[in-house]
Amino acid sequence: KAFPAGQKDLKSKIKFDDVAGLDQAKAEVVEFVDFLRAPTKYEQLGARVPRGGLLVGPPGTGKTLLAKAVAGEADCPFFAMSGSDFIEMFVGVGSSRVRDLFQQARASAPSIIFIDEIDAVGRRRGKGGFGGGNDERENTLNQMLVEMDGFTSGTGVVVLAGTNRVDILDPALTRPGRFDRQIAIDKPDLAEREKIFMVHLKPVTLHTDLKREEVAKRMASLTPGFAGADIANICNEAAIFAARRAAESVEMQDFERATERVLGGLPKQNSLMS
Ligand code: ATP
């Protein structure tokens, strides 16, 4: 998944309604939306401004989607980067990219920065430097910390980050004033999977015998352990199977084949056990 790192004026059209389930997480990020809409209100009241939030959960559960929805609800630009982009970078490149990204975000404030896979840069420092190669990662992490510390209450930039490994993060990242808030994003339960299917079935042309509600219910019960991204995939694959059959609409058999296909592509065990 390639992010246009620091692309300017990337206004998100995604709203909370596009994020199915995750009610608890949505309730927790509402404060960021409120802050982005009226940063000075917080300042005037002398409140400590919410600066960063960690969205913690397995891959494909909607962390990026939720961050985009925060930007969409606040109607502000969304700047994104992925921690894994910074691995094996030449000296100085990672930290200067971080500097640029924060600079752009500040210039377009109120705005939001999303750092996907923050664990790739944010692993605890000072361990396992076999033959070097970690230096630039550490520089990048240090730059991130410097940038976050440089925010004053009127900066109007919220930084969200996604990870599924909060345990390996450098404690400096989770200190007050940095990513001091953790928001759990879990795999969807049965009712949530049904809601996610409802969202991703919307663009699909279903056979006239099928009702969206019924397909969503049935598919939700067939997909324990699937994440939102897997569900989006199933809906898309089902439409592709139907197209290959030269059919005019998508039938249950297409969903069944698509489920098997997506299941085959999932990593064994861990995706299905939780
Ligand atoms: P990663 O950790 O791999 O970056 P992520 O948690 O950021 O994953 P997203 O990129 O947000 O996951 O999700 C991928 C896609 O899956 C979304 O663009 C969306 O189509 C679908 N999706 C995931 N969760 C949901 C959800 N709760 N509601 C609707 N769609 C969802």
Side-chain angles (χ1 to χ4, degrees):
K1 195 167 38 180
F3 279 119
Q7 193 172 313
K8 224 180 172 268
D9 244 15
L10 211 66
K11 280 216 176 162
S12 163
K13 289 195 175 61
I14 296 187
K15 295 278 160 68
F16 282 148
D17 273 351
D18 299 308
V19 186
L22 298 180
D23 293 339
Q24 177 70 31
K26 280 189 216 170
E28 288 180 57
V29 295
V30 158
E31 196 181 339
F32 291 116
V33 175
D34 198 38
F35 166 66
L36 288 165
R37 280 195 189 140
T40 46
K41 178 177 96 184
Y42 283 73
E43 202 181 4
Q44 278 159 4
L45 292 170
R48 201 168 71 80
V49 170
R51 202 161 293 172
L54 265 187
L55 308 179
V56 184
T61 44
K63 298 184 289 296
T64 310
L65 190 68
L66 184 65
K68 280 189 183 156
V70 171
E73 291 284 342
D75 193 28
C76 73
F78 180 81
F79 296 89
M81 60 175 243
S82 176
S84 56
D85 293 345
F86 293 92
I87 296 169
E88 306 203 357
M89 276 210 168
F90 292 112
V91 175
V93 176
S95 39
S96 80
R97 283 231 185 133
V98 167
R99 206 177 307 126
D100 289 351
L101 184 78
F102 277 77
Q103 215 161 51
Q104 285 189 54
R106 270 194 301 265
S108 346
S111 64
I112 182 160
I113 294 177
F114 180 68
I115 306 166
D116 198 14
E117 297 179 65
I118 194 169
D119 42 285
V121 264
R123 261 179 295 128
R124 200 164 285 150
R125 285 166 296 182
K127 276 196 190 143
F130 295 110
N134 274 332
D135 290 359
E136 189 45 24
R137 188 183 69 78
E138 289 197 7
N139 288 342
T140 307
L141 172 58
N142 284 330
Q143 190 61 38
M144 220 174 255
L145 297 173
V146 165
E147 296 291 347
M148 288 189 80
D149 289 346
F151 286 171
T152 56
S153 56
T155 306
V157 178
V158 162
V159 191
L160 296 178
T163 182
N164 57 350
R165 292 296 311 274
V166 73
D167 54 310
I168 61 167
L169 290 184
D170 197 292
L173 274 171
T174 47
R175 223 168 267 155
R178 292 173 182 160
F179 295 102
D180 47 8
R181 206 165 300 186
Q182 287 186 23
I183 297 151
I185 312 280
D186 294 319
K187 285 222 179 139
D189 62 17
L190 180 71
E192 288 170 322
R193 289 197 300 279
E194 196 177 321
K195 286 183 192 160
I196 301 173
F197 268 108
M198 284 299 282
V199 169
H200 291 281
L201 284 171
K202 235 180 250 170
V204 175
T205 307
L206 293 176
H207 191 275
T208 47
D209 288 350
L210 296 176
K211 283 211 172 63
R212 182 151 67 107
E213 291 76 8
E214 284 163 12
V215 176
K217 209 178 188 82
R218 176 133 170 232
M219 290 307 297
S221 70
L222 292 176
T223 49
F226 282 53
D230 306 321
I231 291 173
N233 234 334
I234 288 179
C235 295
N236 188 49
E237 287 281 336
I240 290 171
F241 274 123
R244 280 204 207 124
R245 290 192 294 116
E248 281 176 5
S249 59
V250 184
E251 293 177 31
M252 223 40 227
Q253 54 160 318
D254 300 308
F255 286 105
E256 280 153 15
R257 290 174 75 187
T259 307
E260 274 168 37
R261 156 73 65 88
V262 171
L263 191 58
L266 292 179
K268 295 218 166 49
Q269 297 274 321
N270 71 40
S271 289
L272 286 174
M273 298 300 281
S274 53

